[in-house]
Amino acid sequence: MEGDSNGGMLYHEVQESNLCAVHCVNTVLQGPFFSEFDLAALASDLDSKERQMMLEGTASAAVSSDFLSEESHNVSLGGDFSIQVLQKALEVWDLQVIPLDCPVAEAAQIDPELENAFICHLHDHWFCIRKVNGEWYNFDSLNAAPLNFSKFYLSAYLDSLKGSGWSIFLVRGNFPKEFPISSSEASNGYGQWLSPEDAESITKSCNLTQAPSQRNTMSQQPALTETDLQLLSDMEDEDLRVAIAASLMNSSPATASAEVSTPKTES
């Protein structure tokens, strides 16, 4: 039987400045594969290609002038990157980023638990939901640790996000199987490797020390609805109900160089 990826460890990045897009890409890949400089370089390259296409295309001179006058269409002054930048970064590892409402993603809409990763975006914040070693986690960088939740609640959770205005993207392909944790690139200053037990312990500790009012006002993810509460009440497993409630109430989105040895991949 094949062993767990990265020795069973989870890779999580805690929010640094406005680098949530970097954190999102790296937690999808489960390792510090990209830095903000890598994504900025991809954004600059995309800007150059887009401007060149406008100059060579059939667009009117007025439209081209307006387009060329913009600073960048792929990274803001605040550090927020476009979905095209995230797509380019993940393409380096042969991964596709597909809007969840796209026809090709219809199967994922029906059975999302059969997939491996989703990217979520609202306003200036990115985060990923990732399956690691058979378990689903919310790797939002605004959380101190990844939040584990049941695959049975994944579909309802994604629907709640979409209903609250979040854009959801499916990630498909051969995900990196291993990152050389012992290498000098295993940490970028805001990333950390955690065992599932450590992640759970950190989350419980944060829940105990953080006032409920703080959790509710900070969160921009959907709160528990009557339907959610009914679903939770119908579940027989008390521990599962507690874990799902904690995941929804405490998640708060607000807001690498790829030159490493070729890793194994997981399907």
Side-chain angles (χ1 to χ4, degrees):
M1 180 177 178
E2 188 176 0
D4 292 341
S5 62
N6 288 321
M9 302 293 281
L10 306 171
Y11 180 76
H12 183 64
E13 295 190 356
V14 177
Q15 187 74 23
E16 177 74 15
S17 300
N18 294 323
L19 301 181
C20 55
V22 179
H23 307 320
C24 179
V25 168
N26 284 337
T27 48
V28 167
L29 295 171
Q30 280 298 283
F33 290 87
F34 288 89
S35 71
E36 62 270 35
F37 304 107
D38 296 321
L39 294 197
L42 289 174
S44 177
D45 183 58
L46 283 169
D47 286 335
S48 297
K49 291 179 179 178
E50 289 169 359
R51 292 190 179 101
Q52 187 64 32
M53 288 177 64
M54 290 296 294
L55 290 172
E56 296 176 350
T58 59
S60 68
V63 173
S64 297
S65 177
D66 290 341
F67 184 89
L68 293 173
S69 67
E70 297 291 337
E71 289 290 333
S72 173
H73 285 261
N74 291 290
V75 59
S76 69
L77 293 177
D80 184 38
F81 293 92
S82 69
I83 182 60
Q84 287 79 14
V85 173
L86 275 69
Q87 287 175 319
K88 284 295 182 183
L90 293 173
E91 281 177 6
V92 173
W93 296 98
D94 198 26
L95 295 174
Q96 288 184 298
V97 178
I98 307 166
L100 189 56
D101 57 3
C102 182
V104 74
E106 184 177 357
Q109 300 172 34
I110 299 172
D111 294 309
E113 68 275 8
L114 299 180
E115 304 294 336
N116 285 300
F118 297 91
I119 287 176
C120 309
H121 180 254
L122 181 67
H123 301 316
D124 293 334
H125 191 64
W126 297 93
F127 77 98
C128 92
I129 299 171
R130 177 79 153 87
K131 182 164 64 177
V132 181
N133 300 322
E135 294 288 330
W136 282 99
Y137 294 89
N138 180 337
F139 283 95
D140 184 359
S141 56
L142 292 179
N143 295 323
L147 302 176
N148 176 237
F149 59 87
S150 166
K151 66 180 181 180
F152 300 110
Y153 197 74
L154 178 63
S155 180
Y157 184 64
L158 290 173
D159 286 342
S160 295
L161 288 174
K162 288 186 290 184
S164 296
W166 289 81
S167 297
I168 313 295
F169 301 88
L170 169 66
V171 184
R172 280 178 174 166
N174 296 318
F175 292 77
K177 175 69 174 176
E178 301 286 344
F179 185 90
I181 298 178
S182 60
S183 77
S184 60
E185 297 178 337
S187 176
N188 52 18
Y190 34 77
Q192 55 186 333
W193 296 93
L194 300 168
S195 68
E197 294 76 19
D198 287 340
E200 181 180 9
S201 177
I202 292 171
T203 298
K204 288 182 177 179
S205 177
C206 290
N207 291 342
L208 291 174
T209 58
Q210 189 178 40
S213 60
Q214 289 178 307
R215 295 197 295 267
N216 292 336
T217 56
M218 288 176 62
S219 178
Q220 289 194 17
Q221 288 185 16
L224 288 169
T225 64
E226 292 183 4
T227 301
D228 297 330
L229 292 173
Q230 182 61 46
L231 177 61
L232 290 173
S233 66
D234 290 342
M235 294 180 180
E236 297 181 357
D237 191 334
E238 177 66 24
D239 291 337
L240 183 57
R241 293 202 301 270
V242 172
I244 293 174
S247 174
L248 286 176
M249 295 178 66
N250 298 321
S251 302
S252 357
T255 40
S257 171
E259 295 178 356
V260 297
S261 57
T262 303
K264 300 176 183 178
T265 59
E266 57 182 357
S267 57

